[in-house]
């Protein structure tokens, strides 16, 4: 089981000189050449926004810079193994200070430490904001409100950049969409039936993405959320069984992964407007 770190204990753990302030701290990675480069799973209880250069990640696509942005939320478990120190900045901030800024922002719930690939222009914009936040934090009496404002602005830009990333990496992500369709079809058409209803988390795990990131990606490229696709697949499978087999409603419900036939009937009626029995009789 991973240890849970607050802001001061996490900075101490990664060998970065910080303070006992457990609400907000800003660091410049370049000032800490002895930073911890390898770690077992470590859970954090704060938001971590990190702008990094010189790290070993997959090669960026064309027109991308060599900088990446990471946002981790409270409860995320981080694990890393790097060869060399890296450059950049980080803002470590308690969720109470930015609850408004992250409200309804789906990327704030990503839980797999996914990298946001930055263009040169995006890199310059974020470096400017992070460096200004660091300069403010370096003052003897810094303004917490100013730091929260910089953090909120960074989050706003990040939302825009994630939307851009979906488009700029469309070739990569179109494969994710195609794989999802294929995996969903395979799952629903298993010859021995379905042991449990498929979840978005299951397919996100297959794509090696966080559930929220996967959901945003699928909806961006298809117009519908993964759960909508899953539900539509279940309904089509149910209709086929109702039309083409003599299985009872209960048998169909169990074969589709429902724990109780009543749940299946309720689900079918909600999605189609009629009960499975009425559909079959039509």
């Amino acid at each position: 089981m991973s240890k849970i770190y607050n802001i001061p204990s996490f900075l101490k753990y990664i060998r970065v000189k910080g303070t006992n302030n457990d609400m907000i701290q800003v660091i410049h990675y370049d000032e800490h050449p002895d930073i911890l480069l390898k770690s077992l799973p470590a859970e954090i209880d704060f938001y971590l926004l990190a702008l990094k250069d010189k790290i070993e990640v997959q090669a960026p696509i064309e027109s991308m810079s060599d900088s990446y942005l990471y946002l981790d939320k409270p409860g995320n478990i981080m694990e890393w193994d790097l060869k060399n120190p890296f450059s950049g900045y980080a803002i470590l901030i308690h969720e109470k200070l930015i609850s408004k800024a992250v409200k309804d922002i789906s990327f704030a719930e990503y839980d797999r430490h996914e990298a946001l690939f930055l263009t040169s222009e995006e890199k310059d914009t974020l470096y400017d904001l992070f460096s200004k936040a660091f300069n403010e934090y370096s003052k003897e009496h810094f303004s917490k409100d100013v730091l929260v404002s910089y953090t909120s602005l960074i989050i706003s830009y990040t939302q825009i950049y994630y939307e851009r990333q979906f488009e700029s990496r469309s070739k990569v992500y179109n494969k994710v969409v195609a794989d999802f369709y294929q995996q969903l079809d395979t799952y629903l058409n298993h010859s021995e039936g379905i042991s449990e209803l498929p979840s978005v988390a299951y397919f996100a795990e297959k794509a090696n993405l966080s559930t929220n990131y996967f959901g945003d990606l699928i909806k961006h490229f298809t117009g519908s959320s993964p759960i909508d696709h899953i539900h539509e697949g279940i309904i089509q499978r149910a209709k086929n069984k109702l039309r083409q087999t003599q299985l009872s409603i209960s048998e169909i419900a169990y074969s589709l992964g429902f724990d109780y036939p009543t749940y299946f009937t309720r689900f079918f009626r909600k999605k189609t407007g009629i009960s499975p029995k009425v559909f079959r009789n039509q």
Side-chain angles (χ1 to χ4, degrees):
M1 186 174 181
S2 58
K3 179 179 178 180
I4 301 176
Y5 293 88
N6 64 8
I7 294 174
S9 63
F10 182 75
L11 290 179
K12 183 178 180 181
Y13 171 64
I14 63 173
R15 300 200 291 258
V16 168
K17 184 178 180 181
T19 70
N20 291 324
N21 189 325
D22 62 357
M23 297 302 290
I24 187 168
Q25 295 194 46
V26 185
I27 62 173
H28 189 193
Y29 289 122
D30 303 59
E31 296 182 354
H32 305 282
D34 296 325
I35 193 168
L36 188 68
L37 297 179
K38 183 175 182 179
S39 173
L40 295 173
E43 183 176 342
I44 60 174
D45 74 350
F46 53 89
Y47 279 97
L48 171 61
L49 292 84
L51 180 61
K52 296 180 179 180
D53 287 331
K54 303 175 184 176
I55 53 176
E56 303 94 353
V57 297
Q58 64 188 91
I61 60 176
E62 281 186 42
S63 75
M64 292 294 106
S65 70
D66 58 353
S67 295
Y68 309 85
L69 181 73
Y70 296 90
L71 187 148
D72 285 283
K73 66 181 178 69
N76 276 14
I77 297 177
M78 303 169 61
E79 184 176 6
W80 61 93
D81 186 0
L82 303 173
K83 296 179 182 178
N84 303 301
F86 45 87
S87 300
Y89 294 91
I91 297 175
L92 300 83
I93 185 168
H94 196 282
E95 60 183 324
K96 289 182 179 178
L97 297 183
I98 57 168
S99 57
K100 291 182 180 179
V102 299
K103 184 181 180 182
D104 300 325
I105 299 293
S106 59
F107 74 80
E109 294 300 314
Y110 296 166
D111 58 10
R112 279 182 174 267
H113 198 62
E114 286 120 347
L116 169 59
F117 296 77
L118 300 173
T119 65
S120 296
E121 181 181 352
E122 293 165 355
K123 171 184 175 179
D124 292 343
T125 299
L126 291 183
Y127 257 95
D128 181 57
L129 293 173
F130 271 94
S131 63
K132 285 178 176 175
F134 179 72
N135 290 338
E136 176 63 31
Y137 180 76
S138 299
K139 296 177 181 177
E140 184 177 357
H141 300 291
F142 65 81
S143 169
K144 183 175 67 176
D145 290 339
V146 169
L147 292 179
V148 170
S149 295
Y150 277 128
T151 305
S152 299
L153 189 54
I154 289 169
I155 289 171
S156 295
Y157 274 111
T158 302
Q159 175 70 17
I160 297 171
Y161 298 162
Y162 263 116
E163 292 172 358
R164 185 274 309 152
Q165 175 160 294
F166 288 147
E167 287 300 331
S168 63
R169 307 193 80 219
S170 58
K171 288 184 179 180
V172 175
Y173 291 146
N174 280 333
K175 185 179 186 305
V176 174
V177 174
D179 288 346
F180 169 55
Y181 283 146
Q182 183 178 19
Q183 290 161 2
L184 177 59
D185 185 65
T186 300
Y187 192 106
L188 293 176
N189 290 287
H190 195 280
S191 60
E192 296 181 3
I194 304 169
S195 59
E196 60 181 358
L197 290 170
S199 67
V200 177
Y202 170 83
F203 296 105
E205 182 74 24
K206 289 279 189 181
N208 198 30
L209 296 170
S210 70
T211 303
N212 281 54
Y213 191 102
F214 179 78
D216 286 351
L217 189 157
I218 297 298
K219 188 169 185 178
H220 179 88
F221 285 101
T222 69
S224 299
S225 67
I227 196 65
D228 288 338
H229 286 291
I230 292 171
H231 286 172
E232 179 62 23
I234 292 171
I235 288 297
Q236 289 304 318
R237 185 67 173 155
K239 287 180 176 179
N240 290 341
K241 285 176 178 284
L242 288 166
R243 289 193 192 104
Q244 301 169 10
T245 75
Q246 297 301 313
L247 295 172
S248 68
I249 303 299
S250 294
E251 288 172 328
I252 291 174
Y254 292 130
S255 74
L256 291 173
F258 287 87
D259 292 330
Y260 302 101
T262 52
Y263 289 175
F264 166 65
T265 299
R266 214 173 296 153
F267 172 81
F268 192 92
R269 183 183 288 114
K270 181 180 179 181
K271 296 297 180 181
T272 66
I274 58 176
S275 70
K277 184 177 180 180
V278 171
F279 178 85
R280 169 171 270 175
N281 290 337
Q282 287 179 342

